[in-house]
Amino acid sequence: MKGRSLKLREAHKSSGAASFCSILWDLRAQHLLTSSSNDLSICIHDPLLPSNSPQILRHHRDGVTALALSPNSTCLASGSIDHSVKLYKFPGGEFQTNVTRFTLPIRVISFNRSGSILAAAGDDEGIKLINTIDGSIARVLKGHKGSVTGLAFDPNGEYLASVDSIGTVIQWELHSGTALHILKGIAPDTGSDLSVLNALSWSPDGETLAVPGLRNDVVMYDRDTAEKLFSLRGDHVQPICFLSWSPNGKYMATAGLDRQILIWDVDQRQDIDRQKFDDRICCMAWKPNGNALAVIDVMGKYGVWESAVPSSMKSPTEDVPSLQSKNSNGLLLFDEDEQEPSASGSLSDLGEDSHGESEPPSRKRLRKQSTYDEDINDDLLSSLPKVESRKKASHSHKESLNNGNEGLKSTTSARLKMQEAFQPGATPVQPGKRRFLCYNMLGSITTIEHDGYSHIEIDFHDTGSGPRVPAMTDYFGFTMASLNEHGSVFANPCKGEKNMSTLMYRPFSTWANNSEWSMRFEQEEVKVVALGSAWVAAVTSLNFLRIFTDGGLQRYVISLDGPVVTASGFKDELAVVTHASHCLPSNDQMLKFRVFNISNGTQPLKGHVPLTPGSCLTWFGFSEEGQLSSYDSKGVLRVFTNQFGGSWLPLFSASKEKSEENYWVAGLNMNKLFCIVCKSPDLFPPVMPKPVLTLLDLSFPLATSDLGAETLENEFILKNMHLLQIQQRIEEMAAAGLDTTSLDDEAFNVETALDRCILRLIASCCNGDKIVRATELVKLLSLEKSVKGAIKLVTALKLPNLAERFNSILEERLLNETSRPATLPLTSSNHDASTTPDVVMSKFLTSIQSSKPSQPVIPLPSPQLSSPLFAKKGKLQEGAKVGNEKVEQRRTAIVENIGKVKSLAEVKSIEDVTNQGEASIGEIKNGAVNQRPSNPFAKSSSNQEKSSLFDAIKKMKKVDETGKR
Amino acid sequence: MAGQSDPYISLFSAQEVEFLGEDEMVEIVPNMRMDPLNLICGDFGPFRPQIATQVPLWLAVALKKRGKCTIRPPEWMSVDKLTQVLEAERNSLREFQPLPFHYVEIARLLSDHARDDIPDVYMVRSLIEDIRNVRFHKVETGLETIHERTHAVKLKNLSAMEANIVRPFVVRALQAFYKHDSPEMIPQPDTTAIRRRQVADRGPKRDRRY
């Protein structure tokens, strides 16, 4: 068993004694409600921010024993030891009414599927069914001998099951109010311990009723016959005190008096996971839209057990039967109910004295109620044939497959939501706290609501150079903003009819007074705003992209092809992300982007926005260099590149970093991601204290290779990408006719760094005996010197055959290079620039000469004759001076080789050259490049040649160093 | 320097010790953009708004005075950490808690110049004051144990300011004991000179012995 443990957090003071506590999720799992029978208060926690203090409802005068939420989560009911049942609005928590009173403490309450009936029971002898609309008592069900501790409405609305403290289960027909089945002594007798309450539960499809059994097991009873079907028996050593079906009915969580929770696969009748706790767990609730189980123990400590069902198995929320019906019908019926009182109004007067079942008016009323309930059922069944199909499906597996698909479809529409529009760099509203409307690398716009209007401040990070902007009072209630060097733009959504959506632009510095402007939109709502150089963009609810100049001229109106998600501006470019379609059943958002060039009126880029499965877009914008970038809720940063016809590169993954931190992206540049680090439950930073940006290195999500040099591999890919980007920019600049010198230098630096990285990779490849990979890497080296360095490196590493191979690669390279310039016309004399090839050759010599790395790299240009033999001899002599004999021999061979290669190249290109002239022509060729005849002292007169040569020499020194390392 | 002018009192003034302490690195959050500073003592920066960087204390204070940055107080300068240290200092009579060598000076400089950047500045100040007093008391009681057989005193984790205060006394006390302990040997000026130099040499080490 895995040694995981769940940390529980105190929700209610326990004062040492065990008490019955309850826990509930709301429909969308946005809130977690807890109560304790030792505590007067009900706590509403935010499961995302458990450290925040919960919202507390204190209306009861004694401990709260029971909680129930109406199925659409708009109404909260609580039962208490103080004998009352109260109703509240939810999630606001405003107290609405005391819906009923008992003469003894209440132990359990439950809503029916439509939310129209609330059942409450406790130490009193009857179960009261209360009409939630007018608070009238619809029926009192009497039959239990002990106090009623568990109530469960059948999901199909026909039955109510109840269990009492002595272990009797009664199944009531709601129609008639009669007890259909009375099963005595099937559940454990909990005696007088009030912290243990017998529970029972219908499976979500309503086919089975689960009741804790007498043999530390859970017994399943058939819906119609109340016959025992099967039982879940396993490792509980004491009776089960609580059980809960997963939303899809595939799993069940049971809590026993033995302080453990078991998760069962109901179909397999097998427990699949368990967890031990310090105290007894008295209540559990499955998260309605995720794989998590909320638990609370008898000491009032609660926690959420994430992925209670092992992730390898089907999620507990997959194929939820008729969840949709719960949502839509619940809402719908609630609306109907509000008109209903007229129908039941006459009866509600009798509500108080209608306890007696025999009273005719109440019966009449009940009839109505029950027919009404039947309507609900019909409704349910007609709207969702799936419920029926479920019935059949329980017999045949084939059908259940179909059924599963159907279920999936229904959950899609119910649970999955298309992402709402957002501003990059904005934080959500927090009551009473300042929040960011916009945060970027330049500055921030913050707002706080105060007495009905907001207070907006604009701060620049660089206080020295940024303009000072006075704080402003905002009567519009702006919720969207964007900021750049020149100005800020604000917009508010429309609230009601009077408050129209407004767009306002405030330039920071202008020569004219009053150059602030605003636009109002009728029947239209601004969803997203963006700013660029001299333009303002707003995307509205009608899917219009409206572009204004910074003077307020309405310049363009463009219709977009989907609801907007976000937009971002950078200089002339505007990027807009829209929904491409409804999200996929797998909960993936389908987004696409377009980049507009506002000043040219073009659309240079468009495509889809990739996201990590199950995530949504949280940030979208441009890097400092203008690369389009996105960040999703799973923490993956992607940058758009033109490679492969335009694709997104995942450049950062938060999951690789520390898990207890969340990163809130503010921007990025070529090498770093700028973000604000938030401690784990927080997803976004507060305004105060001023957040400090953290720089994180970009890294590709590389697979773990057998090389064990991930950092190098990562550097390699990154450098390659940079080089490509720079080259691309050089091309752009060159196309625009601009000077590219600085970029050339940059490219050269990157090339150098890349070669250095590759050399190190080659070294680690050689150490790891990955010879083929090393050869591939050598081919990727961009500078000739680096190749030589690589040869030197492998020689030092005593890998002669690799060195050989590298040599041939180098030769090939030289060959390719020489064949290109040789096509130039030959105009120079034989004496011309005889030194250049010498230099090259001698350099080559030194590079392969691993034993003497300190040998001068540039030998003095020898004033020798240019005859090839002589040159070779000279080299040989030189070599003999420094090296030992063996090395010398090899070197000679290589030199000869090179000479041949060169000469071959020459022969190919220049046909009318005789054999004797070979080498000299090779030399001439170099001179030919500059096309300047007869200056033997001008080593290389063209600038280009010179610089490349010296740089190459410099480079080689560097390479030497790395090679030595 | 004072230490050089008077051969018998190898003592720096508080200002001098503070000057030495200004070379400690602290983290600042600049609110301006500036290229890296290439100084003799090293390269600092680049400075980018809202991105933290490490600079020496003197530079941090200079920037702070011009309103160009906020200083992030070092980790040990939080109320929690200092309370722990004080507690531990009080509990162990023989040992000193590890604190930065220049903690007194750093705390002093930061609370003088970057008052608004330190949360609970008064609490922090009084805690530092308390820690200093407790530690100095320990030093004093420790020195009472010096007697004629003592050749050296080992004080681990002693900070610059504390060492500076006790150094002249300890050195001279040990010398005096040494002198009186060997009456037949007339102290030669050479040995004392050597001894003094040795003491001076040990200046920058963290573990100090006298």
Side-chain angles (χ1 to χ4, degrees):
Chain A
M1 211 74 258
K2 275 172 267 169
R4 301 181 284 207
S5 73
L6 182 63
K7 255 201 178 163
L8 298 184
R9 182 183 281 276
E10 183 160 88
H12 300 276
K13 289 260 182 303
S14 67
S15 70
S19 58
F20 184 79
C21 301
S22 318
I23 192 158
L24 274 185
W25 290 96
D26 77 342
L27 182 63
R28 304 206 182 281
Q30 285 157 342
H31 302 93
L32 199 56
L33 295 96
T34 60
S35 71
S36 160
S37 63
N38 263 355
D39 193 354
L40 313 188
S41 51
I42 300 166
C43 297
I44 304 178
H45 307 267
D46 187 342
L48 294 176
L49 305 165
S51 51
N52 281 10
S53 56
Q55 186 187 350
I56 290 176
L57 308 179
R58 261 179 188 273
H59 293 286
H60 281 293
R61 278 171 295 162
D62 209 332
V64 182
T65 49
L67 284 180
L69 263 178
S70 68
N72 58 0
S73 281
T74 54
C75 180
L76 170 67
S78 67
S80 160
I81 301 179
D82 71 3
H83 312 174
S84 67
V85 175
K86 294 177 194 278
L87 283 184
Y88 313 82
K89 273 188 186 157
F90 191 80
E94 296 89 1
F95 172 69
Q96 274 189 311
T97 169
N98 269 325
V99 79
T100 188
R101 277 181 195 285
F102 279 55
T103 49
L104 285 169
I106 289 152
R107 297 289 166 207
V108 63
I109 54 179
S110 175
F111 275 100
N112 75 343
R113 198 60 185 268
S114 67
S116 58
I117 305 177
L118 177 68
D123 298 355
D124 269 20
E125 63 171 334
I127 301 165
K128 285 190 191 178
L129 300 183
I130 305 151
N131 188 335
T132 49
I133 306 309
D134 51 9
S136 58
I137 308 292
R139 201 180 280 260
V140 181
L141 307 172
K142 291 182 180 173
H144 278 291
K145 298 278 188 288
S147 61
V148 178
T149 57
L151 285 174
F153 277 99
D154 151 34
N156 299 344
E158 282 179 59
Y159 306 121
L160 171 71
S162 60
V163 62
D164 61 20
S165 58
I166 55 172
T168 304
V169 173
I170 302 183
Q171 190 178 343
W172 308 87
E173 195 180 22
L174 285 172
H175 242 27
S176 56
T178 51
L180 277 185
H181 305 284
I182 301 177
L183 307 165
K184 280 190 179 158
I186 59 162
D189 185 345
T190 55
S192 58
D193 184 357
L194 291 173
S195 70
V196 185
L197 300 180
N198 269 333
L200 78 179
S201 180
W202 291 95
S203 65
D205 61 2
E207 288 300 319
T208 44
L209 175 67
V211 182
L214 295 173
R215 293 188 292 176
N216 310 336
D217 55 354
V218 179
V219 185
M220 305 291 178
Y221 294 91
D222 184 73
R223 168 193 179 79
D224 299 312
T225 60
E227 278 168 326
K228 186 172 165 180
L229 293 173
F230 59 93
S231 69
L232 300 177
R233 229 179 130 190
D235 288 333
H236 275 301
V237 292
Q238 285 185 51
I240 286 165
C241 60
F242 197 86
L243 48 89
S244 177
W245 290 88
S246 70
N248 63 356
K250 192 164 167 38
Y251 305 99
M252 174 181 273
T254 58
L257 300 180
D258 51 3
R259 299 179 188 169
Q260 58 176 344
I261 293 184
L262 261 64
I263 309 284
W264 302 81
D265 184 325
V266 178
D267 298 338
Q268 310 283 330
R269 296 168 201 181
Q270 180 67 45
D271 57 316
I272 51 178
D273 205 352
R274 74 189 61 189
Q275 183 127 234
K276 278 242 167 212
F277 292 88
D278 296 337
D279 286 299
R280 198 166 68 230
I281 299 298
C282 56
C283 192
M284 299 173 291
W286 286 90
K287 192 171 180 175
N289 54 6
N291 182 4
L293 183 69
V295 301
I296 191 161
D297 70 9
V298 290
M299 291 304 167
K301 291 190 195 132
Y302 82 104
V304 178
W305 179 2
E306 293 291 347
S307 51
V309 171
S311 47
S312 54
M313 306 184 71
K314 216 172 180 183
S315 156
T317 53
E318 222 173 305
D319 306 345
V320 180
S322 67
L323 183 73
Q324 189 191 22
S325 70
K326 196 161 112 187
N327 295 350
S328 53
N329 270 354
L331 270 166
L332 202 130
L333 290 169
F334 237 46
D335 290 344
E336 266 178 27
D337 279 346
E338 262 160 277
Q339 291 137 16
E340 253 260 299
S342 56
S344 56
S346 57
L347 307 160
S348 63
D349 311 6
L350 300 157
E352 273 309 308
D353 35 18
S354 65
H355 287 256
E357 228 184 313
S358 53
E359 271 169 4
S362 74
R363 177 165 289 174
K364 212 188 248 169
R365 190 182 171 291
L366 277 172
R367 181 82 25 93
K368 247 183 193 169
Q369 180 66 53
S370 54
T371 49
Y372 175 58
D373 263 353
E374 270 190 331
D375 288 348
I376 299 168
N377 297 341
D378 290 346
D379 238 62
L380 261 167
L381 296 177
S382 57
S383 70
L384 270 174
K386 170 172 20 90
V387 177
E388 272 180 341
S389 74
R390 262 267 149 174
K391 270 183 187 167
K392 288 176 224 149
S394 58
H395 302 294
S396 77
H397 279 280
K398 254 188 198 169
E399 264 186 280
S400 79
L401 247 168
N402 284 335
N403 176 29
N405 288 342
E406 260 177 70
L408 212 70
K409 249 182 252 163
S410 71
T411 49
T412 314
S413 46
R415 214 156 40 77
L416 308 179
K417 250 173 49 183
M418 278 159 79
Q419 188 179 357
E420 281 183 19
F422 71 95
Q423 282 296 126
T427 56
V429 189
Q430 294 159 284
K433 276 190 193 162
R434 198 163 262 283
R435 65 149 178 147
F436 287 113
L437 286 181
C438 173
Y439 187 101
N440 56 25
M441 292 307 291
L442 194 71
S444 63
I445 302 180
T446 58
T447 183
I448 186 166
E449 192 175 324
H450 183 72
D451 287 346
Y453 57 88
S454 307
H455 206 72
I456 291 186
E457 280 177 17
I458 302 177
D459 296 295
F460 285 89
H461 299 323
D462 190 344
T463 50
S465 64
R468 234 164 243 281
V469 185
M472 72 175 193
T473 309
D474 150 34
Y475 299 99
F476 294 97
F478 292 132
T479 59
M480 293 157 261
S482 185
L483 169 81
N484 72 1
E485 298 86 350
H486 312 294
S488 56
V489 62
F490 300 90
N492 63 319
C494 50
K495 281 181 279 178
E497 286 186 6
K498 280 183 196 166
N499 210 336
M500 269 188 276
S501 187
T502 311
L503 179 78
M504 187 171 104
Y505 179 70
R506 292 180 82 197
F508 292 137
S509 53
T510 169
W511 52 271
N513 315 333
N514 199 14
S515 48
E516 192 174 297
W517 53 263
S518 62
M519 302 276 161
R520 295 203 295 169
F521 299 95
E522 277 178 51
Q523 314 287 325
E524 197 175 348
E525 190 179 34
V526 179
K527 291 286 190 189
V528 168
V529 293
L531 264 184
S533 55
W535 54 265
V536 177
V539 190
T540 66
S541 54
L542 298 181
N543 297 345
F544 287 152
L545 167 62
R546 295 171 174 272
I547 292 165
F548 308 87
T549 63
D550 62 350
L553 188 66
Q554 306 210 28
R555 198 66 210 281
Y556 308 106
V557 183
I558 300 165
S559 233
L560 293 175
D561 50 1
V564 69
V565 179
T566 192
S568 176
F570 177 79
K571 292 181 182 160
D572 276 343
E573 300 201 319
L574 166 69
V576 182
V577 181
T578 55
H579 284 286
S581 71
H582 204 281
C583 40
L584 295 181
S586 53
N587 206 0
D588 292 335
Q589 306 285 334
M590 297 301 291
L591 309 179
K592 59 182 184 183
F593 74 95
R594 284 157 184 277
V595 177
F596 299 95
N597 190 315
I598 304 295
S599 62
N600 300 345
T602 55
Q603 183 180 310
L605 296 173
K606 71 188 235 185
H608 281 270
V609 180
L611 292 173
T612 315
S615 68
C616 53
L617 192 65
T618 56
W619 183 85
F620 194 80
F622 290 90
S623 74
E624 287 188 349
E625 289 82 21
Q627 302 271 155
L628 205 58
S629 326
S630 75
Y631 191 77
D632 67 27
S633 57
K634 290 268 165 78
V636 178
L637 177 84
R638 293 184 179 80
V639 174
F640 189 83
T641 150
N642 286 341
Q643 264 175 285
F644 302 106
S647 30
W648 291 86
L649 305 178
L651 269 184
F652 174 82
S653 176
S655 55
K656 283 204 167 182
E657 313 282 325
K658 278 178 252 164
S659 58
E660 62 266 24
E661 288 179 344
N662 291 316
Y663 304 104
W664 194 76
V665 174
L668 70 153
N669 67 11
M670 207 179 261
N671 303 309
K672 300 273 184 187
L673 173 66
F674 304 109
C675 63
I676 297 168
V677 176
C678 307
K679 283 275 173 310
S680 196
D682 298 338
L683 295 168
F684 50 85
V687 174
M688 288 303 291
K690 225 176 169 188
V692 173
L693 290 170
T694 308
L695 280 77
L696 296 170
D697 285 321
L698 297 181
S699 63
F700 279 94
L702 290 182
T704 317
S705 80
D706 46 1
L707 204 59
E710 263 114 86
T711 45
L712 275 178
E713 285 181 280
N714 187 39
E715 193 187 334
F716 168 66
I717 304 198
L718 273 177
K719 287 264 159 58
N720 262 325
M721 189 189 72
H722 288 174
L723 195 58
L724 271 169
Q725 282 175 5
I726 294 171
Q727 280 164 353
Q728 200 184 321
R729 255 188 298 157
I730 291 177
E731 273 166 34
E732 278 169 22
M733 298 269 282
L738 296 168
D739 182 33
T740 58
T741 347
S742 63
L743 276 176
D744 282 336
D745 288 352
E746 206 181 325
F748 184 74
N749 289 338
V750 175
E751 260 176 20
T752 321
L754 178 61
D755 275 9
R756 219 171 298 155
C757 172
I758 293 177
L759 281 174
R760 268 152 63 201
L761 264 178
I762 292 175
S764 62
C765 280
C766 293
N767 291 332
D769 213 22
K770 305 279 179 252
I771 308 288
V772 179
R773 216 175 294 173
T775 332
E776 283 170 356
L777 282 165
V778 168
K779 287 178 188 154
L780 293 173
L781 285 167
S782 47
L783 300 162
E784 202 179 299
K785 301 294 130 189
S786 319
V787 184
K788 289 169 185 165
I791 296 170
K792 214 171 127 183
L793 178 74
V794 290
T795 320
L797 289 170
K798 308 224 162 54
L799 295 164
N801 31 359
L802 200 57
E804 215 91 321
R805 199 166 272 278
F806 285 10
N807 259 325
S808 61
I809 291 170
L810 180 63
E811 281 159 20
E812 225 169 275
R813 250 181 110 107
L814 288 171
L815 202 140
N816 285 341
E817 270 166 33
T818 46
S819 62
R820 250 175 284 140
T823 55
L824 287 167
L826 273 175
T827 51
S828 56
S829 73
N830 274 5
H831 302 285
D832 194 11
S834 64
T835 50
T836 341
D838 280 1
V839 171
V840 171
M841 281 177 124
S842 61
K843 258 182 276 157
F844 179 57
L845 269 174
T846 46
S847 68
I848 55 166
Q849 195 180 348
S850 58
S851 52
K852 300 267 175 191
S854 58
Q855 201 203 357
V857 172
I858 319 159
L860 288 171
S862 45
Q864 298 156 349
L865 289 176
S866 53
S867 106
L869 275 173
F870 206 102
K872 269 183 211 165
K873 233 185 204 169
K875 292 303 139 210
L876 282 178
Q877 280 162 1
E878 208 176 290
K881 271 180 237 158
V882 283
N884 59 33
E885 300 237 332
K886 276 180 201 165
V887 175
E888 182 196 325
Q889 265 176 7
R890 209 166 84 211
R891 204 181 305 131
T892 324
I894 291 164
V895 170
E896 272 164 359
N897 246 345
I898 297 289
K900 263 180 220 156
V901 168
K902 282 201 163 193
S903 55
L904 272 173
E906 295 321 309
V907 170
K908 267 183 211 156
S909 53
I910 312 146
E911 280 165 3
D912 57 332
V913 170
T914 56
N915 261 344
Q916 293 154 332
E918 304 177 335
S920 57
I921 287 162
E923 286 148 19
I924 290 159
K925 178 219 75 214
N926 273 301
V929 177
N930 5 334
Q931 303 199 7
R932 273 203 203 172
S934 71
N935 186 357
F937 299 104
K939 214 187 286 171
S940 52
S941 40
S942 101
N943 272 339
Q944 215 183 344
E945 173 95 24
K946 199 194 256 167
S947 71
S948 76
L949 197 73
F950 278 114
D951 283 333
I953 289 159
K954 252 191 274 169
K955 190 70 38 54
M956 182 163 154
K957 275 183 180 166
K958 275 180 205 159
V959 166
D960 277 359
E961 278 162 28
T962 47
K964 262 182 268 168
R965 244 179 261 146
Chain B
M1 279 210 200
Q4 287 159 343
S5 58
D6 186 348
Y8 288 99
I9 307 170
S10 60
L11 177 70
F12 297 113
S13 68
Q15 284 78 20
E16 285 163 341
V17 179
E18 191 179 280
F19 177 78
L20 295 176
E22 281 180 353
D23 280 339
E24 292 286 307
M25 299 297 274
V26 289
E27 202 171 37
I28 62 161
V29 181
N31 55 17
M32 44 62 179
R33 190 173 283 273
M34 188 162 74
D35 288 333
L37 290 171
N38 304 313
L39 307 175
I40 294 173
C41 51
D43 295 352
F44 305 112
F47 301 92
R48 278 175 292 185
Q50 287 312 111
I51 294 174
T53 182
Q54 296 270 338
V55 294
L57 190 52
W58 59 266
L59 183 56
V61 169
L63 288 172
K64 177 75 194 172
K65 275 183 184 162
R66 285 161 184 75
K68 296 288 184 201
C69 73
T70 54
I71 299 177
R72 299 182 96 182
E75 206 188 330
W76 56 267
M77 248 178 94
S78 66
V79 173
D80 285 353
K81 266 272 154 55
L82 289 174
T83 320
Q84 279 173 24
V85 169
L86 182 60
E87 198 79 350
E89 234 21 290
R90 283 190 171 136
N91 289 340
S92 64
L93 291 173
R94 305 288 314 164
E95 280 174 26
F96 296 95
Q97 295 305 307
L99 272 176
F101 187 48
H102 289 289
Y103 83 95
V104 183
E105 300 91 309
I106 295 172
R108 174 65 197 255
L109 280 166
L110 290 189
S111 61
D112 280 357
H113 298 290
R115 181 172 287 269
D116 46 338
D117 296 339
I118 307 169
D120 301 315
V121 66
Y122 290 103
M123 193 67 188
V124 166
R125 246 186 124 149
S126 71
L127 277 169
I128 298 243
E129 204 83 345
D130 287 353
I131 290 172
R132 237 179 68 179
N133 289 338
V134 171
R135 285 168 68 117
F136 202 73
H137 178 73
K138 249 190 262 185
V139 173
E140 281 173 339
T141 52
L143 291 185
E144 281 171 16
T145 61
I146 294 186
H147 53 86
E148 64 275 22
R149 289 281 167 226
T150 315
H151 298 298
V153 181
K154 183 180 175 186
L155 294 171
K156 209 178 164 183
N157 288 336
L158 201 64
S159 79
M161 199 59 101
E162 290 153 351
N164 190 48
I165 295 168
V166 298
R167 180 184 290 137
F169 171 76
V170 174
V171 171
R172 291 214 308 217
L174 286 177
Q175 270 175 13
F177 274 125
Y178 184 67
K179 222 187 287 175
H180 297 310
D181 204 28
S182 50
E184 72 281 357
M185 202 176 84
I186 297 153
Q188 283 153 12
D190 286 356
T191 52
T192 52
I194 289 164
R195 179 166 278 275
R196 211 180 303 126
R197 202 178 307 131
Q198 278 170 346
V199 167
D201 283 346
R202 285 180 194 130
K205 278 196 201 155
R206 225 145 242 226
D207 285 14
R208 28 218 56 241
R209 286 150 220 253
Y210 295 90

